[in-house]
Amino acid sequence: MKGWEGSQMGQGLWRVARNQQLQHQGYSGQGYLTRENGRRLATNSISNTSHRKQAQGGIDIYHLLKTRKSKEQEGFINLEMLPPELSFTILSYLNATDLCLASCVWQDLANDELLWQGLCKSTWGHCSIYNKNPPLGFSFRRLYMQLDEGSLTFNANPDEGVNYFMSKGILDDSPKEIAKFIFCTRTLNWKKLRIYLDERRDVLDDLVTLHNFRNQFLPNALREFFRHIHAPEERGEYLETLITKFSHRFCACNPDLMRELGLSPDAVYVLCYSLILLSIDLTSPHVKNKMSKREFIRNTRRAAQNISEDFVGHLYDNIYLIGHVAA
């Protein structure tokens, strides 16, 4: 009984102390203080936090908040009131269209050459003009517009697009420079690019040599290859040329592995064709009876007898788990 009374007295004292603490922190008997008092407490808290930030050498958060308009006219922070590094970081997340719109408000900031240089190099990773001394009156914003115009022209007519880049001094008339431009650009239409590479085998040769397949598993390397150089939709001479060039490049990047497995470029060529056929077999909804792992090993080793059964089995597992090599 005494233990129960002691417990009740302890709980009562705790409630009294807790109520005093809540009242001291800004709570009333009905719950919270009025909204105006709550705002005042929040403002004081922000002010104290900002002073602590200042004391630690950080950004003055209170000063940044003061740059905002009043509650009735709330809007965006004026970027010109922020440190330049912070303003440029914010603008660097915009695309070209939004950056042009931002230049209507913050002309000096949005027209900064570093911002437009970043946009150019993030979209077109390699251009011959990047490695040259810029001509008089050069502007990365103007270069971006020319690169965009040239890409649209390429996607309509590849030869005219390449000629446009050369006429503007953006690309040198060299297969290696054109190959680097294609390798580092993702805005080119893959169907038009396939037609162009089929006609310009000299550019295709340099484009293949830009790939580094060292220490890559064969199906993964083939996927990377077809991400840059899209495979044709039908079998033919062009597909055979692509697989032949890939096989020689893969062997050149992995000489030790080729000796260990006893593989030659011809054997890699056979494996690549087998992987493409297996990819179609396993992913096509029109194929009802899928090829089993045992069947794939038997058929592949029949064409390339020096390949180990375990290695061919790992090839099958990769396609089964990850998917098509030329998707």
Side-chain angles (χ1 to χ4, degrees):
M1 190 66 177
K2 289 183 180 179
W4 180 83
E5 290 177 352
S7 176
Q8 291 295 315
M9 182 178 297
Q11 292 180 7
L13 292 174
W14 181 86
R15 291 193 188 97
V16 171
R18 181 60 176 163
N19 290 336
Q20 290 177 351
Q21 182 183 10
L22 293 176
Q23 291 176 4
H24 178 70
Q25 291 179 348
Y27 290 84
S28 62
Q30 289 79 22
Y32 298 98
L33 285 174
T34 62
R35 183 177 297 177
E36 188 62 32
N37 290 335
R39 287 178 179 172
R40 188 179 296 112
L41 286 171
T43 302
N44 292 336
S45 176
I46 292 174
S47 178
N48 292 335
T49 302
S50 68
H51 288 311
R52 286 195 298 270
K53 287 285 186 180
Q54 279 185 303
Q56 297 172 1
I59 298 175
D60 187 354
I61 303 299
Y62 179 70
H63 175 70
L64 297 182
L65 293 175
K66 290 290 288 182
T67 62
R68 294 182 63 89
K69 298 179 181 179
S70 62
K71 186 67 176 178
E72 294 76 13
Q73 298 178 343
E74 185 174 311
F76 291 106
I77 293 178
N78 185 356
L79 296 183
E80 294 179 346
M81 302 294 294
L82 301 179
E85 297 83 358
L86 183 56
S87 301
F88 289 138
T89 301
I90 294 172
L91 292 175
S92 67
Y93 288 96
L94 302 182
N95 57 33
T97 302
D98 292 337
L99 196 57
C100 287
L101 293 175
S103 66
C104 298
V105 182
W106 304 291
Q107 185 174 1
D108 293 337
L109 289 173
N111 288 332
D112 186 81
E113 280 291 277
L114 288 177
L115 290 175
W116 287 99
Q117 180 181 359
L119 279 176
C120 288
K121 293 189 175 182
S122 63
T123 309
W124 300 274
H126 175 82
C127 294
S128 303
I129 198 173
Y130 293 160
N131 302 319
K132 299 177 180 179
N133 292 326
L136 186 64
F138 174 81
S139 167
F140 274 103
R141 178 171 179 171
R142 186 182 302 111
L143 176 62
Y144 184 95
M145 305 306 174
Q146 292 173 345
L147 285 168
D148 188 54
E149 178 68 23
S151 297
L152 293 174
T153 304
F154 183 97
N155 292 338
N157 188 312
D159 289 327
E160 291 184 4
V162 172
N163 290 333
Y164 176 87
F165 289 130
M166 292 179 183
S167 67
K168 298 297 182 181
I170 297 173
L171 276 182
D172 292 340
D173 188 3
S174 163
K176 183 174 293 185
E177 284 297 301
I178 299 173
K180 288 181 180 179
F181 175 80
I182 293 173
F183 185 79
C184 300
T185 301
R186 299 292 178 268
T187 59
L188 303 180
N189 181 276
W190 65 270
K191 292 184 178 180
K192 297 294 183 180
L193 182 58
R194 187 177 63 196
I195 296 173
Y196 180 78
L197 293 176
D198 192 13
E199 297 174 351
R200 292 290 305 269
R201 297 299 175 91
D202 54 344
V203 176
L204 177 60
D205 289 338
D206 286 316
L207 185 58
V208 171
T209 58
L210 291 175
H211 291 81
N212 183 8
F213 302 124
R214 183 171 179 80
N215 296 328
Q216 290 192 32
F217 193 37
L218 180 61
N220 297 334
L222 197 57
R223 287 190 187 92
E224 180 184 332
F225 180 74
F226 283 133
R227 272 198 295 269
H228 287 97
I229 308 174
H230 289 269
E233 297 174 355
E234 298 178 356
R235 300 184 199 177
E237 186 270 337
Y238 182 58
L239 178 61
E240 294 177 359
T241 299
L242 291 181
I243 297 177
T244 300
K245 292 181 181 299
F246 168 82
S247 301
H248 283 85
R249 181 60 182 168
F250 184 82
C251 291
C253 292
N254 299 279
D256 296 336
L257 178 64
M258 296 301 100
R259 284 194 296 269
E260 180 182 345
L261 297 177
L263 296 178
S264 64
D266 291 338
V268 175
Y269 178 93
V270 172
L271 291 177
C272 290
Y273 245 116
S274 299
L275 290 172
I276 292 174
L277 295 177
L278 177 63
S279 299
I280 297 173
D281 185 275
L282 295 182
T283 60
S284 175
H286 303 293
V287 179
K288 301 302 180 182
N289 298 320
K290 305 296 184 182
M291 183 182 298
S292 67
K293 186 174 183 179
R294 185 183 300 275
E295 291 173 331
F296 177 74
I297 294 175
R298 183 180 65 248
N299 295 338
T300 303
R301 296 194 68 197
R302 186 179 301 167
Q305 300 177 356
N306 294 332
I307 305 174
S308 69
E309 182 175 337
D310 290 340
F311 181 75
V312 179
H314 292 320
L315 296 178
Y316 182 94
D317 294 338
N318 183 280
I319 303 298
Y320 184 83
L321 295 174
I322 300 180
H324 208 304
V325 293

